[in-house]
Protein backbone atom coordinates (compact mmCIF):
# COMPACT_ATOMS: atom_id res chain seq x y z
CA UNK A 1 0.00 0.00 0.00
CA UNK A 2 2.83 2.46 0.69
CA UNK A 3 3.61 2.60 -3.02
CA UNK A 4 0.00 3.15 -4.13
CA UNK A 5 -0.53 6.67 -5.42
CA UNK A 6 -4.27 7.04 -4.74
CA UNK A 7 -6.11 6.03 -1.58
CA UNK A 8 -9.90 5.79 -1.16
CA UNK A 9 -11.44 6.24 2.29
CA UNK A 10 -15.04 5.84 3.39
CA UNK A 11 -15.41 7.96 6.53
CA UNK A 12 -18.84 7.69 8.12
CA UNK A 13 -20.28 6.87 4.71
CA UNK A 14 -18.58 9.83 2.98
CA UNK A 15 -16.03 8.88 0.31
CA UNK A 16 -12.67 10.64 0.00
CA UNK A 17 -10.02 10.12 -2.67
CA UNK A 18 -6.53 11.44 -2.03
CA UNK A 19 -2.86 10.74 -2.55
CA UNK A 20 -1.00 8.44 -0.22
CA UNK A 21 1.61 11.16 0.27
CA UNK A 22 -1.08 13.50 1.62
CA UNK A 23 -2.03 11.01 4.35
CA UNK A 24 1.66 10.48 5.13
CA UNK A 25 2.38 14.14 5.93
CA UNK A 26 2.82 13.17 9.60
CA UNK A 27 4.54 9.76 9.77
CA UNK A 28 3.43 9.06 13.37
CA UNK A 29 -0.26 9.70 12.65
CA UNK A 30 -2.74 6.84 12.39
CA UNK A 31 -3.56 7.85 8.80
CA UNK A 32 0.08 7.41 7.79
CA UNK A 33 0.21 4.05 9.55
CA UNK A 34 -3.04 3.07 7.83
CA UNK A 35 -1.51 3.68 4.40
CA UNK A 36 1.52 1.62 5.47
CA UNK A 37 -0.75 -1.26 6.64
CA UNK A 38 0.43 -0.64 10.19
CA UNK A 39 -2.88 0.07 11.96
CA UNK A 40 -5.10 -3.00 12.42
CA UNK A 41 -8.24 -0.93 13.16
CA UNK A 42 -8.46 0.37 9.60
CA UNK A 43 -9.42 -2.45 7.24
CA UNK A 44 -9.19 -2.38 3.46
CA UNK A 45 -12.55 -3.56 2.04
CA UNK A 46 -13.14 -3.67 -1.72
CA UNK A 47 -10.28 -1.26 -2.28
CA UNK A 48 -11.49 1.29 0.32
CA UNK A 49 -10.46 1.98 3.89
CA UNK A 50 -13.54 2.06 6.11
CA UNK A 51 -13.32 4.57 8.99
CA UNK A 52 -16.16 4.71 11.49
CA UNK A 53 -15.85 8.43 12.28
CA UNK A 54 -17.57 11.72 11.40
CA UNK A 55 -17.37 12.22 7.62
CA UNK A 56 -18.31 15.92 7.68
CA UNK A 57 -15.52 16.80 10.11
CA UNK A 58 -13.05 14.72 8.11
CA UNK A 59 -13.37 17.35 5.35
CA UNK A 60 -11.43 19.74 7.61
CA UNK A 61 -8.90 17.01 8.42
CA UNK A 62 -8.22 16.55 4.73
CA UNK A 63 -8.01 20.29 4.12
CA UNK A 64 -5.38 20.55 6.85
CA UNK A 65 -3.33 17.68 5.41
CA UNK A 66 -3.39 19.30 1.97
CA UNK A 67 -2.55 22.85 3.07
CA UNK A 68 -0.99 22.49 6.55
CA UNK A 69 -3.31 25.32 7.56
CA UNK A 70 -6.54 25.59 9.53
CA UNK A 71 -9.15 27.76 7.80
CA UNK A 72 -12.70 27.32 9.06
CA UNK A 73 -16.05 28.84 7.94
CA UNK A 74 -17.33 31.90 9.80
CA UNK A 75 -20.27 29.86 11.16
CA UNK A 76 -18.13 26.95 12.40
CA UNK A 77 -18.61 26.07 16.08
CA UNK A 78 -17.52 22.43 16.59
CA UNK A 79 -13.96 23.22 17.70
CA UNK A 80 -13.89 20.63 20.50
CA UNK A 81 -15.34 17.87 18.32
CA UNK A 82 -12.85 18.59 15.55
CA UNK A 83 -10.04 18.62 18.10
CA UNK A 84 -11.12 15.17 19.31
CA UNK A 85 -11.12 13.91 15.72
CA UNK A 86 -7.60 15.27 15.21
CA UNK A 87 -6.44 13.49 18.37
CA UNK A 88 -8.09 10.25 17.21
CA UNK A 89 -6.12 10.35 13.95
CA UNK A 90 -2.93 11.19 15.82
CA UNK A 91 -2.68 14.64 14.21
CA UNK A 92 -1.49 16.40 17.34
CA UNK A 93 -0.22 19.57 15.59
CA UNK A 94 -3.77 20.10 14.29
CA UNK A 95 -5.25 19.40 17.72
CA UNK A 96 -2.82 21.92 19.19
CA UNK A 97 -3.92 24.61 16.72
CA UNK A 98 -7.60 23.89 17.42
CA UNK A 99 -6.97 24.38 21.14
CA UNK A 100 -6.26 28.02 20.25
CA UNK A 101 -9.94 28.51 19.51
CA UNK A 102 -9.84 32.26 20.23
CA UNK A 103 -7.47 32.75 17.28
CA UNK A 104 -9.62 30.76 14.86
CA UNK A 105 -12.99 32.36 15.60
CA UNK A 106 -14.24 35.07 13.21
CA UNK A 107 -14.26 38.61 14.55
CA UNK A 108 -16.80 41.38 14.26
CA UNK A 109 -15.42 44.16 12.06
CA UNK A 110 -16.73 47.74 12.21
CA UNK A 111 -16.33 50.32 9.45
CA UNK A 112 -17.56 53.92 9.53
CA UNK A 113 -17.99 56.32 6.59
CA UNK A 114 -18.32 60.06 7.31
CA UNK A 115 -19.58 62.27 4.50
CA UNK A 116 -19.84 66.06 4.40
CA UNK A 117 -21.09 68.14 1.47
CA UNK A 118 -19.81 71.72 1.55
CA UNK A 119 -20.61 73.80 -1.51
CA UNK A 120 -19.09 72.18 -4.59
CA UNK A 121 -16.90 69.79 -2.60
CA UNK A 122 -17.58 66.56 -0.75
CA UNK A 123 -15.37 65.31 2.07
CA UNK A 124 -14.99 61.65 3.03
CA UNK A 125 -13.38 60.01 6.04
CA UNK A 126 -13.40 56.23 6.43
CA UNK A 127 -12.45 54.53 9.70
CA UNK A 128 -12.14 50.75 10.11
CA UNK A 129 -11.42 48.51 13.08
CA UNK A 130 -9.30 46.26 10.82
CA UNK A 131 -6.31 47.96 9.22
CA UNK A 132 -6.02 45.34 6.46
CA UNK A 133 -9.52 46.25 5.26
CA UNK A 134 -8.55 49.92 5.13
CA UNK A 135 -5.39 49.02 3.21
CA UNK A 136 -7.42 47.01 0.69
CA UNK A 137 -9.98 49.81 0.33
CA UNK A 138 -7.20 52.37 -0.17
CA UNK A 139 -5.97 50.29 -3.11
CA UNK A 140 -9.45 50.40 -4.66
CA UNK A 141 -9.95 54.17 -4.34
CA UNK A 142 -8.07 56.64 -6.53
CA UNK A 143 -8.44 60.44 -6.55
CA UNK A 144 -7.59 62.24 -9.79
CA UNK A 145 -6.95 65.97 -9.98
CA UNK A 146 -6.37 68.61 -12.64
CA UNK A 147 -6.69 72.32 -13.39
CA UNK A 148 -7.96 74.50 -16.18
CA UNK A 149 -8.96 78.10 -16.67
CA UNK A 150 -12.46 79.16 -15.83
CA UNK A 151 -13.07 80.30 -19.42
CA UNK A 152 -12.74 76.74 -20.69
CA UNK A 153 -14.93 75.16 -18.07
CA UNK A 154 -17.89 74.74 -20.40
CA UNK A 155 -16.07 71.78 -22.00
CA UNK A 156 -15.84 68.41 -20.22
CA UNK A 157 -12.94 68.72 -17.81
CA UNK A 158 -11.52 65.25 -18.27
CA UNK A 159 -11.04 65.84 -21.99
CA UNK A 160 -9.24 69.16 -21.52
CA UNK A 161 -6.23 67.97 -19.62
CA UNK A 162 -4.84 64.67 -18.40
CA UNK A 163 -5.85 63.92 -14.82
CA UNK A 164 -3.15 63.18 -12.27
CA UNK A 165 -3.72 60.56 -9.52
CA UNK A 166 -3.28 61.78 -5.94
CA UNK A 167 -2.32 59.65 -2.92
CA UNK A 168 -5.02 59.31 -0.30
CA UNK A 169 -4.47 61.04 3.01
CA UNK A 170 -3.84 58.41 5.70
CA UNK A 171 -3.94 59.91 9.24
CA UNK A 172 -3.39 56.41 10.67
CA UNK A 173 -3.44 52.72 9.69
CA UNK A 174 -7.14 52.64 10.53
CA UNK A 175 -8.51 55.54 8.48
CA UNK A 176 -8.28 57.48 5.24
CA UNK A 177 -9.44 60.91 4.04
CA UNK A 178 -10.23 62.16 0.52
CA UNK A 179 -12.45 64.69 -1.25
CA UNK A 180 -14.01 65.30 -4.64
CA UNK A 181 -15.66 68.19 -6.44
CA UNK A 182 -14.47 71.57 -7.71
CA UNK A 183 -12.68 74.51 -6.14
CA UNK A 184 -12.05 77.95 -7.66
CA UNK A 185 -8.81 79.89 -7.26
CA UNK A 186 -8.87 83.09 -9.30
CA UNK A 187 -9.56 82.10 -12.90
CA UNK A 188 -8.37 78.55 -12.29
CA UNK A 189 -10.63 75.63 -11.44
CA UNK A 190 -9.29 72.66 -9.46
CA UNK A 191 -11.30 69.49 -9.88
CA UNK A 192 -11.02 66.16 -8.07
CA UNK A 193 -12.55 62.99 -9.41
CA UNK A 194 -12.87 59.70 -7.53
CA UNK A 195 -12.67 56.21 -9.01
CA UNK A 196 -13.50 53.06 -7.03
CA UNK A 197 -12.41 49.74 -8.53
CA UNK A 198 -13.68 47.65 -10.22
CA UNK A 199 -15.86 50.53 -11.49
CA UNK A 200 -13.90 52.48 -14.12
CA UNK A 201 -15.84 55.75 -13.90
CA UNK A 202 -14.26 58.94 -12.58
CA UNK A 203 -16.95 60.66 -10.51
CA UNK A 204 -16.88 64.29 -9.40
CA UNK A 205 -20.28 64.53 -7.73
CA UNK A 206 -20.01 63.71 -4.01
CA UNK A 207 -23.45 62.09 -3.78
CA UNK A 208 -22.58 59.76 -6.66
CA UNK A 209 -19.24 58.85 -5.05
CA UNK A 210 -21.01 58.14 -1.76
CA UNK A 211 -23.52 55.87 -3.48
CA UNK A 212 -20.78 53.92 -5.25
CA UNK A 213 -18.74 53.62 -2.05
CA UNK A 214 -21.68 52.31 0.00
CA UNK A 215 -22.63 49.89 -2.76
CA UNK A 216 -19.04 48.58 -2.90
CA UNK A 217 -19.03 47.95 0.86
CA UNK A 218 -22.33 46.07 0.70
CA UNK A 219 -20.99 43.88 -2.11
CA UNK A 220 -17.91 43.17 0.03
CA UNK A 221 -20.04 41.59 2.76
CA UNK A 222 -20.64 44.59 5.03
CA UNK A 223 -24.10 45.32 6.47
CA UNK A 224 -25.34 48.85 7.12
CA UNK A 225 -26.38 49.00 10.79
CA UNK A 226 -26.93 52.72 11.38
CA UNK A 227 -27.13 56.12 9.71
CA UNK A 228 -26.92 59.32 11.72
CA UNK A 229 -26.02 63.00 11.47
CA UNK A 230 -22.92 63.72 13.55
CA UNK A 231 -22.85 67.52 13.27
CA UNK A 232 -26.02 69.08 11.89
CA UNK A 233 -24.46 72.51 11.37
CA UNK A 234 -21.76 70.98 9.14
CA UNK A 235 -24.10 68.35 7.68
CA UNK A 236 -21.74 65.46 8.50
CA UNK A 237 -23.49 62.16 7.83
CA UNK A 238 -22.16 58.96 9.40
CA UNK A 239 -22.80 55.47 7.99
CA UNK A 240 -21.78 52.53 10.19
CA UNK A 241 -21.22 49.04 8.77
CA UNK A 242 -20.30 45.69 10.27
CA UNK A 243 -19.38 42.22 9.05
CA UNK A 244 -17.99 39.01 10.46
CA UNK A 245 -14.41 38.78 9.27
CA UNK A 246 -13.05 35.28 8.78
CA UNK A 247 -10.02 34.63 10.97
CA UNK A 248 -6.74 34.30 9.14
CA UNK A 249 -5.52 30.72 8.89
CA UNK A 250 -3.20 29.17 11.44
CA UNK A 251 -0.47 27.17 9.79
CA UNK A 252 2.37 24.90 10.81
CA UNK A 253 5.79 24.45 9.32
CA UNK A 254 7.12 20.91 9.32
CA UNK A 255 10.85 20.28 9.48
CA UNK A 256 11.69 16.81 8.21
CA UNK A 257 15.15 16.01 9.57
CA UNK A 258 16.96 12.73 9.88
CA UNK A 259 15.66 10.73 12.78
CA UNK A 260 12.73 13.04 13.52
CA UNK A 261 9.07 13.01 12.59
CA UNK A 262 6.89 15.79 11.31
CA UNK A 263 4.94 15.74 14.56
CA UNK A 264 8.00 16.20 16.74
CA UNK A 265 9.30 19.07 14.65
CA UNK A 266 6.02 20.87 14.03
CA UNK A 267 6.22 24.61 14.59
CA UNK A 268 3.22 26.93 14.76
CA UNK A 269 3.12 29.97 12.55
CA UNK A 270 0.23 32.40 12.88
CA UNK A 271 -0.76 33.82 9.48
CA UNK A 272 -2.54 36.94 10.71
CA UNK A 273 -2.22 40.61 9.86
CA UNK A 274 -3.78 43.87 10.82
CA UNK A 275 -5.38 43.18 14.15
Amino acid sequence: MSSRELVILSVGGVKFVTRASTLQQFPESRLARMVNDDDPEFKLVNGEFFVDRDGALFNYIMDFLRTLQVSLPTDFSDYQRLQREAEYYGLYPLADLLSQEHLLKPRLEILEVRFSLQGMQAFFRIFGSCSTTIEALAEQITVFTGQQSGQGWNSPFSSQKQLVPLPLERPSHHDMVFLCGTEYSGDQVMARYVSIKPDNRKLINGTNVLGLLLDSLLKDGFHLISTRTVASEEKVECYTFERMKRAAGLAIVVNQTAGSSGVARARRSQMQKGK
Side-chain angles (χ1 to χ4, degrees):
M1 274 301 301
S2 60
S3 61
R4 177 179 290 184
E5 183 179 1
L6 295 181
V7 178
I8 302 175
L9 301 92
S10 177
V11 184
V14 182
K15 184 176 292 187
F16 297 86
V17 181
T18 187
R19 294 179 181 275
S21 57
T22 301
L23 299 175
Q24 294 170 320
Q25 287 274 21
F26 300 92
E28 291 184 1
S29 71
R30 297 190 67 185
L31 292 172
R33 297 203 305 268
M34 175 192 73
V35 173
N36 296 329
D37 291 329
D38 194 27
D39 193 314
E41 185 172 339
F42 299 119
K43 299 294 185 181
L44 188 62
V45 180
N46 296 326
E48 300 179 5
F49 283 104
F50 174 74
V51 184
D52 191 16
R53 302 294 293 189
D54 191 307
L57 290 179
F58 194 72
N59 271 305
Y60 303 113
I61 301 288
M62 286 303 308
D63 183 62
F64 171 75
L65 290 173
R66 289 167 176 149
T67 66
L68 296 183
Q69 182 170 318
V70 184
S71 297
L72 300 172
T74 55
D75 59 350
F76 186 81
S77 60
D78 290 335
Y79 294 93
Q80 292 184 349
R81 289 184 59 214
L82 184 54
Q83 184 178 351
R84 287 198 299 268
E85 293 299 293
E87 291 172 347
Y88 171 81
Y89 292 111
L91 295 170
Y92 298 108
L94 173 58
D96 186 34
L97 294 182
L98 289 167
S99 69
Q100 304 176 75
E101 183 178 333
H102 64 288
L103 297 177
L104 291 167
K105 283 186 174 180
R107 297 173 179 173
L108 182 64
E109 181 180 359
I110 302 295
L111 189 140
E112 182 180 276
V113 176
R114 293 198 175 197
F115 169 72
S116 174
L117 192 61
Q118 300 176 18
M120 299 294 291
Q121 291 186 305
F123 297 82
F124 294 83
R125 181 161 191 165
I126 304 175
F127 172 84
S129 60
C130 178
S131 63
T132 53
T133 296
I134 296 298
E135 291 288 347
L137 195 56
E139 293 180 359
Q140 289 180 256
I141 300 175
T142 306
V143 177
F144 297 90
T145 185
Q147 291 182 343
Q148 78 172 57
S149 63
Q151 290 84 352
W153 185 249
N154 291 330
S155 300
F157 183 81
S158 58
S159 64
Q160 295 293 314
K161 191 173 183 180
Q162 184 176 4
L163 300 179
V164 178
L166 285 177
L168 299 179
E169 184 180 345
R170 297 292 307 277
S172 75
H173 292 297
H174 288 273
D175 61 345
M176 70 176 75
V177 178
F178 62 92
L179 62 90
C180 66
T182 58
E183 179 183 18
Y184 288 86
S185 177
D187 65 344
Q188 296 291 315
V189 180
M190 173 70 72
R192 286 185 174 87
Y193 293 79
V194 173
S195 177
I196 304 177
K197 297 176 182 177
D199 195 295
N200 293 320
R201 292 174 296 170
K202 295 180 177 65
L203 303 177
I204 196 170
N205 181 280
T207 302
N208 292 341
V209 173
L210 176 65
L212 180 58
L213 175 60
L214 301 186
D215 185 59
S216 298
L217 293 173
L218 292 172
K219 289 179 178 178
D220 202 28
F222 281 98
H223 302 281
L224 180 64
I225 58 173
S226 72
T227 303
R228 68 185 191 279
T229 301
V230 178
S232 56
E233 65 279 3
E234 298 179 359
K235 298 181 180 179
V236 179
E237 300 173 6
C238 180
Y239 301 83
T240 304
F241 294 81
E242 70 175 20
R243 72 174 175 183
M244 293 302 295
K245 183 176 177 61
R246 180 197 296 266
L250 288 180
I252 66 164
V253 177
V254 180
N255 291 330
Q256 296 289 3
T257 59
S260 67
S261 72
V263 174
R265 296 291 180 177
R267 178 168 59 87
R268 289 187 303 242
S269 174
Q270 185 179 344
M271 309 284 288
Q272 286 188 315
K273 299 179 181 178
K275 293 182 182 179

